[in-house]
Amino acid sequence: MQRLVNWLKAHGAGYLFVAGIGTFLAILAPYNTGGLGWPWVWFYWVSLMILGGASGNAAAWLLGRLAPGLSPLATYTAIAFMVAVPVSAAVIALQAAVGFTPPLVQWPVIYGFVLVISGGVTALTYLLDRPDDASLALKAGRALTDKLPVRLRTADILALQSEDHYLRVHTARGDALILMRLSDAMAAVERLEGMQTHRSWWVARPAIENAEKAGGRAELTLTGGITAPVSRSFYPLLREKGWI
């Protein structure tokens, strides 16, 4: 259940966003879809947009693994082209389901129509995700953010968790596992208000929702239900600063 809650917090707003765009397209009824009538035209566009959103998340994850050095603009452009593939396949499948299978020669045309919408939505997402100059100083350094999947690069960082030679970066949009030392990551987030709480944890102060000490152990509950331990060596300093 907690995983579902965390997933909804990380991705729910994004899917509501694309569902809203799907509703707008259902009202406009482009590409002669008005003949479907309500509520079928709404189901048609919203389902395609949700598929596009899921495909976009998958494409962002894949590009983050295969081409982590791409600029945000290049990444979003690639995502637009990638998303149009499964959505075009869904359009063709839906047309076949109602008794009309488009001939092969029309498939590139369908892809082009889908790409127009995919590109528009992706461009809008890029503009919304791009931080303004004033907020850049509040974000982590590029030594850290460039290693993250593109959808997480502008998200608020909640915590850093060392896992052997890897680092799990917890953000307001989800988490990612990257190859980086905790010490290097803490240097990259020195502009953020945060502290090391354990030999394997760094926590951002604004992410703390609750602090508890029981059975000789202290823990911090963060946004999204993340629990960060506080070791005895770091406890006095955190208490002195009023974190606990």
Side-chain angles (χ1 to χ4, degrees), residues 76 128-131 139 145 150-156 173:
Y76 277 91
L128 292 175
D129 283 349
R130 186 178 59 179
K139 297 295 181 181
T145 57
V150 66
R151 68 182 181 85
L152 303 182
R153 292 180 186 176
T154 59
D156 291 332
R173 298 179 192 166

Side-chain angles (χ1 to χ4, degrees), residues 35-168:
L36 295 173
W38 282 84
W40 305 114
V41 65
W42 182 84
F43 284 119
Y44 177 84
W45 281 111
V46 170
S47 61
L48 287 179
M49 292 304 301
I50 290 177
L51 173 61
S55 300
N57 288 335
W61 177 86
L62 184 62
L63 289 171
R65 290 296 183 91
L66 300 181
L70 282 179
S71 68
L73 180 58
T75 301
Y76 277 91
T77 301
I79 288 174
F81 281 90
M82 295 169 70
V83 165
V85 175
V87 177
S88 296
V91 171
I92 293 170
L94 287 172
Q95 291 189 13
V98 297
F100 174 72
T101 302
L104 190 61
V105 70
Q106 290 186 5
W107 290 16
V109 177
I110 293 173
Y111 177 83
F113 287 152
V114 172
L115 183 60
V116 170
I117 295 176
S118 173
V121 174
T122 305
L124 179 59
T125 305
Y126 169 75
L127 293 175
L128 292 175
D129 283 349
R130 186 178 59 179
D132 55 33
D133 293 340
S135 68
L136 285 175
L138 302 178
K139 297 295 181 181
R142 292 192 60 181
L144 172 62
T145 57
D146 282 356
K147 294 178 180 290
L148 295 174
V150 66
R151 68 182 181 85
L152 303 182
R153 292 180 186 176
T154 59
D156 291 332
I157 293 179
L158 309 179
L160 306 172
Q161 178 187 2
S162 178
E163 297 184 7
D164 295 326
H165 298 294
Y166 292 87
L167 182 78
R168 187 169 299 279

Side-chain angles (χ1 to χ4, degrees), residues 180-195:
M180 193 175 195
R181 295 185 302 180
L182 179 62
S183 59
D184 293 335
M186 288 194 300
V189 296
E190 61 181 357
R191 292 183 179 181
L192 300 179
E193 183 185 8
M195 287 185 61

